[in-house]
Amino acid sequence: MKIEQTSVVDYDEVDTDFRMKLPVLFQRLQRGALHHSESVGLGSAAMVEAGAVWILNRMRVDIYRMPVYRDEITLRTWHKGSTGFRAGRDFLVLCGEEKVAAATSLWLYYDLSRKRITKIPESVSEPYTAEADDVLVAGAIDFAVDKTFVPVQTITITTREGDYDPNGHVNNTVYLEYLNTLIQRCGIVDAKVGQVVIQYLKEIGRDVHTILAGVAAAENTVRFRFFDPTAVYAAGFVTVGKPG
């Protein structure tokens, strides 16, 4: 089963060049995944009531052209199947017939009562149905990130009440707001972002009020990580220009 959503890029979703903001693109992807789950009776509220949630573990997004103000975009997403406690999901973003972005992601099934990752029940995996189509090259999700690099530049980010979602931690898309702030304020990325790769390592809970965001750039790649003295919350890299 493939899910499709159509929307228009609004004024509050674009930057000073009238291009869609990076976090907004990720919000569109998240909405598509949520809509798919709700359409098969496995929406977030129903999952929590049943004692489980999906946790986004990693994502790669290739951006061919960032949509601009008033563009009508179509998002398609589909379940790639599940094995053990892991499930895959792909996304395709179109403006008319033009492919403007594509993404692949890996999700983990988390048991709230036992507070651990656990095997996905058939009653959860089967309603989605699995699609064989790969939106990116096979193995695109099997990337490696550097969680321990020494940042060349670091900024402090204060979490906001609006950053938290119903699961009680900073929403996955908010990390992209942090990333956008980081790379712009450090003056690293002046060109168009072609690819974003991120691995979520530890949730940012309500007890965390500030984090550090660090970057190191080399040629067309910018490594980043969000951390504090006790943990690394997420890490990844951004490429400038065409997706790698």
Side-chain angles (χ1 to χ4, degrees), residues 104-154:
T104 189
S105 60
L106 180 67
W107 301 72
L108 309 178
Y109 188 77
Y110 185 81
D111 187 304
L112 293 170
S113 61
R114 292 190 287 176
K115 296 183 177 180
R116 68 176 189 179
I117 304 298
T118 191
K119 184 178 179 181
I120 303 169
E122 288 187 10
S123 60
V124 172
S125 61
E126 286 185 353
Y128 290 101
T129 70
E131 299 287 342
D133 296 349
D134 286 319
V135 75
L136 297 175
V137 296
I141 198 64
D142 300 320
F143 53 79
V145 300
D146 187 347
K147 297 172 281 191
T148 61
F149 75 89
V150 178
V152 174
Q153 294 174 282
T154 303

Side-chain angles (χ1 to χ4, degrees), residues 11-239:
Y11 183 78
D12 62 340
E13 298 179 319
V14 297
D15 61 18
T16 54
D17 294 318
F18 288 90
R19 290 198 303 261
M20 177 185 274
K21 300 171 186 175
L22 186 61
V24 174
L25 175 60
F26 276 69
Q27 289 164 8
R28 287 293 202 282
L29 305 182
Q30 182 182 73
R31 289 175 192 172
L34 288 169
H35 178 65
H36 192 176
S37 290
E38 289 166 359
S39 73
V40 297
L42 294 168
S44 297
M47 290 277 287
V48 169
E49 187 175 345
V53 293
W54 289 113
I55 295 176
L56 178 57
N57 175 253
R58 51 175 51 210
M59 177 175 279
R60 169 179 161 177
V61 181
D62 286 11
I63 303 168
Y64 310 106
R65 177 181 72 82
M66 191 64 86
V68 298
Y69 179 53
R70 302 311 297 169
D71 267 355
E72 182 175 291
I73 64 173
T74 299
L75 170 71
R76 293 177 188 156
T77 183
W78 57 95
H79 177 63
K80 292 286 295 172
S82 58
T83 303
F85 51 81
R86 300 180 178 89
R89 174 171 294 278
D90 278 2
F91 305 84
L92 178 64
V93 184
L94 303 166
C95 285
E97 298 299 318
E98 178 191 5
K99 180 170 72 171
V100 295
T104 189
S105 60
L106 180 67
W107 301 72
L108 309 178
Y109 188 77
Y110 185 81
D111 187 304
L112 293 170
S113 61
R114 292 190 287 176
K115 296 183 177 180
R116 68 176 189 179
I117 304 298
T118 191
K119 184 178 179 181
I120 303 169
E122 288 187 10
S123 60
V124 172
S125 61
E126 286 185 353
Y128 290 101
T129 70
E131 299 287 342
D133 296 349
D134 286 319
V135 75
L136 297 175
V137 296
I141 198 64
D142 300 320
F143 53 79
V145 300
D146 187 347
K147 297 172 281 191
T148 61
F149 75 89
V150 178
V152 174
Q153 294 174 282
T154 303
I155 65 172
T156 300
I157 292 177
T158 300
T159 58
R160 307 157 299 180
E161 280 303 305
D163 294 346
Y164 296 92
D165 63 20
N167 292 325
H169 57 72
V170 170
N171 186 265
N172 297 318
T173 64
V174 175
Y175 287 73
L176 278 298
E177 294 184 28
Y178 298 163
L179 176 60
N180 198 51
T181 298
L182 175 65
I183 60 180
Q184 295 298 330
R185 289 191 178 171
C186 290
I188 291 176
V189 177
D190 294 320
K192 296 177 181 178
V193 171
Q195 184 182 93
V196 179
V197 166
I198 185 168
Q199 182 176 2
Y200 297 93
L201 301 162
K202 180 180 173 62
E203 66 181 32
I204 302 176
R206 286 190 173 275
D207 57 326
V208 179
H209 299 146
T210 60
I211 62 169
L212 297 172
V215 291
E219 296 182 352
N220 294 327
T221 301
V222 179
R223 290 176 293 167
F224 65 86
R225 65 187 181 108
F226 303 111
F227 64 102
D228 64 19
T230 67
V232 178
Y233 298 103
F237 58 87
V238 171
T239 61

